[in-house]
Amino acid sequence: MKDQKKAVWLALGAVACWSTVATAFKLSLNYFSPAQLLWVATLTAVILLLLLLAVQGRLSELLQTFKQRPAFFLLAGLMNPTLYYLVLFQAYDRLPAQQAQTLNYTWAITLTLLAVPFLGQTIRRQDWIAILLGYTGAMVIATRGDLLSLQFDDPLGVALALISTFIWAGYWILNTRNQADPLISISLSFVLALPMITLATAILSDFQMHSWQGWVGAIYVGVFEMAIAFMLWLMAMRYAENTARISNLIFISPFASLILLRFLVGEQIYPATLVGLVMIVAALLIQQLKKSA
C-alpha cells in the first residue's frame, strides 16, 4: 500500500542514520583498526538481520535462496561488506573524514561508467557532463582546491576512497541480476562475509579489542549504517508513490554529516570540500534529471 508521507519519514530516518556514520567511522578508528571495526560492525549487523528474519519467520529462506545461487551470494558477500568496507575504512583511517566521505559520494558516477561494459548501457551527453563535473569536484576535494598542483596530502588515501566507489558500484551492478528478496539478499551477504572478515582481521590486525569506546562505535556502525538504515530505506522505497522525490533526500546527508564532523570530531571544514561537494551533488542531480526526462 503506497503512502508518500510515510515513505518520506522513513527515508528521512535512513538519511539521519547515514548522516552520522562518517563521524562514527572516524571516532571508532581512534580505537580500532579498520579490520577490527569491520568485524564488530558486521557481527552486529548479522545478529540484527537474523533476529529480524526470525521475528518474521523467514530464517529458512536464507538457505533456500543460497542453494539457488551459491557462487553469486559468495561473490556478493566478498564485495559488500568485505572488500568495500575494508577499503573504505582504510581511506577514513588515512584521510580527514570530510574528504573520504565526499569522495565516496562519486560512486553513482562510477556506476554510470561501469554500466557501459557490464550492462551494455550508453553514456549520453548529460552523463558526460555529470562525470566531468563530479570527478572535477573530487579533484577539488583531494587537492584542497589547488587543482593545478595536483598535490595530494595522502595519495593512497584518495586512491582507496575512489577504489571503494568502484567496489560499491560493482556490487550494485552485480545485483541487477539478482531477483531474490532484498532483505534475504543483504542478510546472506553479511552472513557469508563474516567468516571472510574474521580471516581478514586475523591476517591484517588482531582481536585485541579492549577499548569500550571502539566497541560502542563499531556496534553503532553495525546497527545504523549496515542494518537499520538499509531497512528504513527499503521500506521507504516500497511505500513511495514517487521514488525520485525520496531519492533526492539522500543529498541532505553529506551536508548534515559535515556539520557533525565539525562539532563532534573537530575537523575544520575546508572551503574546497564544500565546493567539491556542491559539484558532486550537482552532478548527481544532473544524472537524475536525465533519467526522469
Side-chain angles (χ1 to χ4, degrees):
M1 185 176 181
K2 300 296 183 181
D3 186 333
Q4 187 71 13
K5 185 176 180 180
K6 182 179 287 188
V8 168
W9 282 110
L10 289 167
L12 286 173
V15 168
C17 291
W18 284 322
S19 298
T20 65
V21 292
T23 296
F25 292 165
K26 200 63 180 177
L27 292 175
S28 301
L29 287 167
N30 290 327
Y31 305 98
F32 282 180
S33 71
Q36 290 172 335
L37 172 57
L38 178 56
W39 184 78
V40 176
T42 303
L43 178 62
T44 302
V46 166
I47 292 170
L48 272 178
L49 290 167
L50 291 180
L51 281 174
L52 177 62
L53 290 174
V55 169
Q56 295 180 351
R58 302 177 63 197
L59 280 175
S60 61
E61 292 181 38
L62 285 174
L63 185 57
Q64 295 169 7
T65 304
F66 175 69
K67 285 181 177 179
Q68 294 170 6
R69 303 181 70 189
F72 173 88
F73 288 109
L74 283 167
L75 179 57
L78 176 63
M79 294 180 73
N80 173 48
T82 309
L83 290 177
Y84 172 65
Y85 282 106
L86 276 175
V87 172
L88 183 63
F89 288 167
Q90 287 285 352
Y92 269 91
D93 202 33
R94 301 181 68 95
L95 296 172
Q98 61 186 285
Q99 289 187 341
Q101 173 206 245
T102 312
L103 291 172
N104 185 248
Y105 267 88
T106 62
W107 75 267
I109 300 168
T110 305
L111 181 61
T112 301
L113 291 171
L114 292 183
V116 175
F118 290 106
L119 298 180
Q121 295 182 7
T122 57
I123 299 181
R124 298 183 181 180
R125 183 176 63 180
Q126 294 93 328
D127 292 316
W128 285 118
I129 293 170
I131 290 166
L132 178 62
L133 187 60
Y135 282 121
T136 301
M139 292 296 292
V140 168
I141 294 162
T143 61
R144 295 195 189 182
D146 192 1
L147 276 173
L148 295 179
S149 71
L150 289 180
Q151 292 293 315
F152 306 105
D153 291 342
D154 191 323
L156 179 57
V158 171
L160 288 168
L162 292 175
I163 288 170
S164 75
T165 69
F166 279 86
I167 299 171
W168 189 243
Y171 172 75
W172 286 110
I173 285 176
L174 181 69
N175 272 275
T176 60
R177 298 175 172 85
N178 180 21
Q179 301 299 318
D181 177 85
L183 181 57
I184 295 294
S185 296
I186 198 70
S187 298
L188 271 176
S189 290
F190 275 81
V191 168
L192 294 170
L194 188 56
M196 305 180 204
I197 294 167
T198 301
L199 179 61
T201 305
I203 295 171
L204 301 174
S205 185
D206 55 53
F207 293 93
Q208 302 299 313
M209 296 172 279
H210 304 301
S211 168
W212 67 266
Q213 296 98 324
W215 278 93
V216 170
I219 290 171
Y220 183 94
V221 169
V223 172
F224 291 98
E225 156 79 353
M226 297 178 174
I228 289 181
F230 167 78
M231 288 184 280
L232 288 173
W233 193 257
L234 178 63
M235 291 169 64
M237 290 297 101
R238 287 183 173 175
Y239 278 112
E241 297 170 2
N242 186 319
T243 56
R245 292 177 186 173
I246 298 299
S247 298
N248 286 338
L249 294 174
I250 195 64
F251 298 122
I252 299 171
S253 178
F255 295 99
S257 184
L258 289 181
I259 295 171
L260 293 177
L261 288 171
R262 176 66 183 90
F263 290 103
L264 297 182
V265 179
E267 283 193 7
Q268 178 184 354
I269 306 302
Y270 311 128
T273 299
L274 291 172
V275 172
L277 177 57
V278 169
M279 293 173 72
I280 291 169
V281 169
L284 298 175
L285 286 170
I286 288 170
Q287 285 187 312
Q288 289 210 357
L289 287 172
K290 187 271 295 185
K291 290 177 181 177
S292 63

